[in-house]
Each structure stands twice: as structure tokens, then as C-alpha cells.
Amino acid sequence: MSRLVAWLEDYILPIASRLGQVRWVVALRNAFVSIMPITIAGSLAVLIKSLIQAARDHLGWETFAFAMQPLVAISDIVWRGTFSLFALFLALALGYQLSKTFEVNRLAGSIVSLASFMMSVANYMKLKMNGDNVIVKNAFDISQFSSTGIFTAILFCSIGVGIYVLCVKARISLHMMANMPHAEQAAFDSLIPGIISIFSVGAINYVFQLSTGLYFGSWLLKTIQIPLVNLGQGFGVVLLVTLLVQVFWFFGINGLSILSPIMDSIWLTAQNVNITAAQNGQVPKYLWVKGSFEVFAWIGGAGGTLMLIVAILLFSKRSDYRTIAKVALAPGIFNINEPIVFGLPVVLNPVYFIPFVTAPLVNVAFSYWITKMGLVNPVQVAVPSIMPPLIGPYLACNYDWRAIILSVVNMLIGLAIWAPFVFAADKIADVNNPKTFFNTQY
């Protein structure tokens, strides 16, 4: 075990540390986090509509459903203003976060980012009229602005803002009078860098369209984004990402933050597709999405540490461990794991390495195959990460009571995995006999 921890510390920890310091990765992660109100508002609209439909279809509440039609209509409007424009919000947020990271004008960076994205999507629509295919030019298909445009937004917003930042850092700008109002001065300072950036992205798109006959966004969706999202449905890939998150967390690095660009690009895209399907009354397309990790694997936070807290309260004889567990219980119920992870600690503690990694892997594997067999609905609603166990899975799976049972089984599995190591930790601490054993050595 000591050799394994040493190997991970020598080879994995430096990689994670470097990734955590890449400013583009940090900006992308912050961009996804900053549009969380859009994600939650759109998901809440789906929940409300689904609840009313479930009351009508399964309980026969026709009068109630009829009376709630204005609320359904409001939910549809909220949907159109949130999830159906997800990539647009991401483009703005990413431009802002990149500009903030590289210390340039944030508003100008957001505008350049949005323009770069808009130039990269097709400005025509294909419609069917009387059985014939009709192409409408100078019109945008709104589906390009939803989750299907995430990869296009990430790529071209990064290129556009990157060129803008380079021009600003090179001091390529118009220098006006010093007594000019600040807003006008900022606009003129961003004028030349913004023009260069926008025209550069425009030229890239022109060359691509000339060479392939396709808009880059359409090509990217078909050749890269869809295959990657489909790859993310593979059992091995799901387990690999779960393993990496846990290994990073073991060394005190937030694995969810490190891998957020990958997870959001692949599994958040799949989740948004499922949410769109649920909104339209269709069958969800994807088996495993970002919310699946949150509601089925990380019960109490990464590592399934809520069950560690329960195991300590049930089985540990040490008063100091039990005190820490009592303090960490309330945050753990809301999936906040820092008090137990850093307070016990679990971080860099070889005794807890195996259950910390194994419990989420087993929960993911079990939940994946249960969902694949159709025994539980796939996750199709985004719920806040602080939603307690049982409630979170029930809402995320669109009011599927079977998700509650799966969550209970996962909690029991996690408890069974953590319990032997809690007994072992007690014995090791007794043998070494300082109460500060873990704090001083790990």
C-alpha cells in the first residue's frame, strides 16, 4: 500500500497539479459553474411540467392538470430562454472567464467570444414542406444554440478570445485622450484587438467552408462531438473517469474540478440531450450523464464519504473520530465532503485509500448496469449537487421511485465497503497510540 501511494504521489499528483494550474482549464470550469442558474432553472421547468403530466397520466388528475396549464406554458417559456440557448450562455461565460483570467476587458472578451461562436454555426435551416426539403437561408436553427453547440462554443470562443488577448498584451490598440470617459476609453482600447480577433475567426471559418462545404459547427458535431458523447456511454470510460476523480481527491486535489472540462463537455452534453427529450415527452437517449455520477456514485461527496461518516458513528470506538463524524454529518447529507476528507483526514491516509476509491467504483458499476437493464430511468433532470441522497435520485430520474431503492442499495454497499476499514483504522490508531496519528504522519 505504501508503494502504491508513493507511485501515485510521484506520477499522478504532478499531472493533476499541472492541470489545476492551466488557466484555460480553470476558466472553462468556472464558465460551466457560472451558468448553473441557467441549468437549474431549465431543469426546474422540466420537473414542473413532468410532475403535472405524471399527475394527469398516472393519478387521473385531469382537472388539476387543466388548471396548471398556465404553469406548463410558463415552464415552456423558461425552457426556451435557458436550455435551448445553453451554448450561447456558455460562449458568453467562457469569454468572460478567459478575459478575467488573462486580465483583459471582460465585457469585450465576452462579446468577442459570442461573435466567434455565432460565426461558426450554420445560418440556414432545413425544413420539410409538403414532403419536400426546403432550405431557408439567413436563419439560425435554434438547436445549434443548445447543448449540441457546446464543443463549437468551447473551441471557437477559446480561439477568438485567445487572439484578442494576444493583441491586447501586444498593445495593439488605439490610444485616445487620457480625459476620455472610462467606458469610451475601454471601448477604444478593445476596438483593434476585437476587430483582429473577429476577422481572424471569420477567415478560419471561410477557409473551412471553402474546403469542406460545411460550417465548422455542423462538421464538429458530426465528426467529434457525437462520437465523444457516445464514447462516454461506454462502461470502461465511465469507470476510468470515476477512478481518476477519486485518485485526485485522495491527494487533496478536487478531481471534479480538474476533470470538469472533460466531464462537462461529454456527460453534461448527454445530460442536456436527455433533459431536452424529457421536456418534449420523448425517451431519453443517453444511459449515463453527468448527474448520474452525482446521484448514484458520490453520496455525501466524492468517495461516497457519507457512508464513512455513518460507519464511524455506528462502529468506531474512538471518541475523536466520532466527534469529527458528528461535525461532518450535516454537510455530508448535502454532499459536502471537505469536513470529513480533510478533518479525519481521508486525504493521504493509506488506511482509507481502498474504500475511498472502491466504493464509488462499485456504486457506479452497479448503477450503470441497473440503468442499462431498464430497471431505473436514466437521469434526465439536472438537480443541485447539494440535493440529499434519496431525494436527488428521485428528482433526477424524473420522479422514478425505483431510483430511491437504487440509492438505498448503493448506500448499503458503500457502508459495507467502508466498515472494515473503520475497524482497521481503530486498531491501527490504538497500536500507534497517539490520537494525532493521522494528522502527524499523513
Side-chain angles (χ1 to χ4, degrees):
M1 178 63 68
S2 298
R3 283 196 290 268
L4 175 60
V5 172
W7 180 85
L8 291 170
E9 192 170 10
D10 291 338
Y11 295 99
I12 302 300
L13 182 59
I15 296 174
S17 299
R18 292 192 195 99
L19 285 175
Q21 295 170 1
V22 175
R23 290 195 281 183
W24 178 84
V25 173
V26 174
L28 181 58
R29 179 196 67 207
N30 292 341
F32 276 109
V33 171
S34 63
I35 59 175
M36 188 178 295
I38 300 300
T39 304
I40 300 303
S43 296
L44 184 60
V46 175
L47 276 175
I48 293 172
K49 185 175 181 178
S50 298
L51 179 61
I52 295 172
Q53 290 176 343
R56 181 193 62 196
D57 297 339
H58 300 292
L59 300 178
W61 294 4
E62 296 287 347
T63 304
F64 170 78
F66 178 79
M68 291 294 104
Q69 285 308 301
L71 186 57
V72 172
I74 293 172
S75 298
D76 289 337
I77 294 172
V78 171
W79 168 264
R80 290 197 300 271
T82 54
F83 253 109
S84 62
L85 302 175
F86 187 89
L88 280 178
F89 292 113
L90 178 62
L92 284 169
L94 181 56
Y96 179 90
Q97 294 295 343
L98 285 171
S99 301
K100 178 182 177 182
T101 298
F102 291 98
E103 299 178 347
V104 297
N105 189 301
R106 301 173 189 180
L107 177 59
S110 299
I111 294 172
V112 167
S113 178
L114 180 59
S116 300
F117 171 65
M118 292 298 295
M119 287 187 289
S120 307
V121 297
N123 65 338
Y124 65 87
M125 291 180 61
K126 293 182 179 180
L127 301 175
K128 272 195 173 183
M129 298 181 64
N130 299 324
D132 298 326
N133 292 323
V134 178
I135 296 178
V136 181
K137 295 184 178 180
N138 300 319
F140 290 103
D141 184 352
I142 194 173
S143 65
Q144 297 178 106
F145 303 143
S146 64
S147 58
T148 59
I150 286 180
F151 274 64
T152 305
I154 292 173
L155 179 61
F156 274 98
C157 294
S158 299
I159 293 174
V161 177
I163 296 172
Y164 171 76
V165 169
L166 290 175
C167 292
V168 171
K169 298 298 183 181
R171 299 185 181 277
I172 303 175
S173 61
L174 290 175
H175 300 287
M176 308 303 291
M177 295 181 295
N179 59 353
M180 181 177 289
H182 175 73
E184 296 181 14
Q185 182 67 53
F188 277 104
D189 288 344
S190 302
L191 180 60
I192 301 300
I195 291 174
I196 293 174
S197 173
I198 291 172
F199 268 86
S200 298
V201 174
I204 293 172
N205 278 282
Y206 170 75
V207 172
F208 188 86
Q209 292 169 29
L210 195 64
S211 304
T212 65
L214 295 171
Y215 280 83
F216 192 91
S218 303
W219 174 85
L220 187 68
L221 176 64
K222 294 178 181 178
T223 59
I224 297 179
Q225 181 170 341
I226 292 177
L228 277 178
V229 173
N230 291 335
L231 178 66
Q233 299 305 298
F235 180 62
V237 177
V238 171
L239 283 186
L240 176 61
V241 170
T242 307
L243 174 64
L244 290 176
V245 168
Q246 295 308 131
V247 169
F248 288 155
W249 258 113
F250 179 74
F251 288 99
I253 298 173
N254 191 325
L256 295 175
S257 296
I258 294 294
L259 298 176
S260 177
I262 297 174
M263 297 188 67
D264 288 342
S265 299
I266 297 177
W267 285 284
L268 181 59
T269 300
Q271 177 170 293
N272 291 345
V273 172
N274 278 7
I275 293 174
T276 301
Q279 167 69 14
N280 297 326
Q282 300 170 351
V283 177
K285 180 179 179 180
Y286 292 107
L287 169 69
W288 196 265
V289 300
K290 183 182 178 183
S292 305
F293 291 104
E294 296 173 351
V295 299
F296 292 135
W298 296 315
I299 301 171
T305 49
L306 178 59
M307 305 323 297
L308 167 61
I309 296 171
V310 173
I312 291 174
L313 293 176
L314 289 177
F315 307 121
S316 179
K317 304 300 183 182
R318 289 185 59 88
S319 59
D320 50 342
Y321 292 173
R322 294 177 61 84
T323 299
I324 294 172
K326 290 175 183 177
V327 171
L329 179 60
I333 292 174
F334 294 96
N335 300 320
I336 300 171
N337 68 347
E338 281 80 2
I340 192 69
V341 167
F342 296 105
L344 194 59
V346 175
V347 169
L348 289 176
N349 187 335
V351 177
Y352 290 128
F353 175 74
I354 291 178
F356 188 68
V357 172
T358 303
L361 286 174
V362 174
N363 285 159
V364 163
F366 183 69
S367 302
Y368 180 94
W369 290 109
I370 289 294
T371 307
K372 190 174 182 65
M373 289 187 289
L375 300 178
V376 172
N377 286 343
V379 169
Q380 49 199 278
V381 174
V383 296
S385 60
I386 60 171
M387 192 67 67
L390 306 184
I391 299 175
Y394 176 67
L395 296 177
C397 294
N398 208 352
Y399 305 109
D400 187 354
W401 59 270
R402 298 172 298 179
I404 299 177
I405 297 176
L406 176 57
S407 184
V408 171
V409 173
N410 279 336
M411 294 172 70
L412 293 176
I413 291 173
L415 181 62
I417 293 173
W418 276 108
F421 294 90
V422 169
F423 287 119
D426 275 11
K427 291 181 180 179
I428 292 173
D430 289 339
V431 170
N432 289 271
N433 194 33
K435 287 190 176 182
T436 58
F437 171 71
F438 290 122
N439 292 327
T440 57
Q441 295 195 28
Y442 301 105

